[in-house]
Amino acid sequence: VDQRVLALARAIMDLQAGLVTDPDDPEAQALLAAFSLQILIELRDINFLSQAIGVVMVSDPVDFLLTDTAGRTTGYTAETGEVTENSRAYYSGDADVELVVLPDAGTGLYPLQLSGVDSGEFISVATLVTESGASKTITTSGVLTGDTSLVLDFTDVELSIPRPGDEVFARLADGDNNA
């Protein structure tokens, strides 16, 4: 996969780590969604996806298994190895920053199993981008030394994604998170 996609995944991690405001702030969420949309666009442009819609999840440093609404699991843990039950999903492979893309995903509940790989802090950022251009970003972070299961609730998706040229995008891209 294009190196730009992996660079965007790293940018999401850097952005999330550098947020000085609440990570649930709508403007911060909008910028995270814009980076996720750009990943989807890049994958569409290299003919990996037919449309720039789906779930984009970036994690650092934690292994995970993400299950879509059809019950298909994608990801990696030391116990299971790489799992790709959805043949259209993209998984970057086991690394410090891991990326998974579930194409053509819609609203719903997405079970997520996290497996600690270190005794340090982890972060996971998941964004659903819908066909209508709405999005929702869910950030999970903390210290994880074992396994934990949770559910990403993408049933209520309303936030629109800022585009380059939008005032919100320009402020946040320049690092003005308090504007």
Side-chain angles (χ1 to χ4, degrees), residues 21-61:
T21 59
D22 179 0
D24 293 327
D25 173 41
E27 288 187 351
Q29 290 239 342
L31 189 57
L32 290 167
F35 277 100
S36 296
L37 175 61
Q38 191 60 42
I39 287 173
L40 293 168
I41 289 169
E42 293 283 340
L43 289 172
R44 182 201 62 205
D45 288 352
I46 61 172
N47 297 317
F48 187 82
L49 300 178
S50 59
Q51 302 178 69
I53 62 174
V55 171
V56 174
M57 189 173 114
V58 182
S59 295
D60 176 29

Side-chain angles (χ1 to χ4, degrees), residues 110-161:
Y110 290 77
L112 175 62
Q113 177 188 330
L114 298 172
S115 296
V117 296
D118 245 332
S119 59
E121 201 164 324
F122 79 94
I123 190 164
S124 179
V125 179
T127 300
L128 171 66
V129 177
T130 68
E131 191 170 12
S132 69
S135 71
K136 181 176 182 179
T137 298
I138 300 171
T139 300
T140 306
S141 63
V143 175
L144 183 65
T145 56
D147 295 343
T148 191
S149 296
L150 53 110
V151 175
L152 302 178
D153 185 352
F154 287 120
T155 55
D156 182 26
V157 179
E158 298 178 4
L159 184 68
S160 62
I161 300 172

